[in-house]
Amino acid sequence: MKLIRKLRNLYALVFILGFSIMVWQGVAHRKEIAFLFGAISLVSFVFLLRQSRLLKDATLILDNRILAVPSDLISLEGDKSKDDVAETVVSTFGILTGSKIYRWGRDGLYGVRLNAVEIDRERMYLTFGDMVQTMRVDLLHGMLKEQEVMNTVNKFLRETGIRASIIGWEHKS
């Protein structure tokens, strides 16, 4: 989240500086330099809008968290690499892993949706996608007690409408 905010602030600074220099050079009748800084301002403005949307999504995920895992190793189905992240937040609207966001539940009927949640003794498996592509995220959840798992299952049901499957907790007292 901090990285997303820092990048947004950097893009805003570049936009303001570029726009100011563009106006200054335009007044001084240096049209080529004004055009150059106008182009820089335009590009930084596009990046600023994109980063602001990312920050809005990250804030939405943090505000509607279901589960937060302090340190995690994320692996995606079909991807051989694993991303080591500082914190993972699973939410009603997606997953925030460091500065990367996987969104669901915001684009209507045909958008990306959370399809399934499975929880075993060590890991949580989240399957989400749309009609074209499906992803499965595998993350270590860190829950040690059955009551924690049941609370998380109830939160998923209440917040997303998805009934999580519990594997390996049934016979533990």
Side-chain angles (χ1 to χ4, degrees), residues 64-114:
N64 293 286
R65 77 178 61 202
I66 293 173
L67 176 71
V69 181
S71 178
D72 202 3
L73 196 66
I74 297 288
S75 63
L76 297 174
E77 184 177 318
D79 188 7
K80 303 287 188 230
S81 65
K82 295 183 182 222
D83 296 329
D84 191 17
V85 295
E87 181 183 50
T88 300
V89 177
V90 179
S91 166
T92 307
F93 299 105
I95 301 172
L96 174 64
T97 61
S99 63
K100 194 165 189 173
I101 294 176
Y102 300 98
R103 294 178 6 162
W104 59 65
R106 296 200 47 218
D107 297 326
L109 186 61
Y110 300 107
V112 176
R113 297 176 157 255
L114 180 63

Side-chain angles (χ1 to χ4, degrees), residues 41-169:
S41 295
L42 183 63
V43 169
S44 63
F45 183 70
V46 169
F47 283 128
L48 173 63
L49 290 177
R50 200 170 137 218
Q51 203 67 25
S52 294
R53 181 177 178 211
L54 197 62
L55 182 62
K56 180 182 166 192
D57 289 344
T59 303
L60 183 68
I61 288 172
L62 287 174
D63 289 346
N64 293 286
R65 77 178 61 202
I66 293 173
L67 176 71
V69 181
S71 178
D72 202 3
L73 196 66
I74 297 288
S75 63
L76 297 174
E77 184 177 318
D79 188 7
K80 303 287 188 230
S81 65
K82 295 183 182 222
D83 296 329
D84 191 17
V85 295
E87 181 183 50
T88 300
V89 177
V90 179
S91 166
T92 307
F93 299 105
I95 301 172
L96 174 64
T97 61
S99 63
K100 194 165 189 173
I101 294 176
Y102 300 98
R103 294 178 6 162
W104 59 65
R106 296 200 47 218
D107 297 326
L109 186 61
Y110 300 107
V112 176
R113 297 176 157 255
L114 180 63
N115 299 323
V117 178
E118 296 176 18
I119 303 173
D120 66 17
R121 289 205 170 270
E122 294 178 1
R123 297 187 177 278
M124 178 181 294
Y125 306 94
L126 300 159
T127 306
F128 56 95
D130 56 10
M131 298 168 96
V132 177
Q133 182 182 13
T134 300
M135 293 178 67
R136 181 177 166 121
V137 173
D138 168 13
L139 55 96
L140 298 169
H141 56 67
M143 294 182 281
L144 300 174
K145 297 178 183 172
E146 188 174 3
Q147 187 59 45
E148 289 177 294
V149 173
M150 294 309 297
N151 290 342
T152 303
V153 166
N154 289 334
K155 276 186 180 179
F156 269 109
L157 183 60
R158 188 173 56 249
E159 299 290 330
T160 66
I162 300 295
R163 185 175 305 278
S165 301
I166 303 171
I167 304 166
W169 288 88

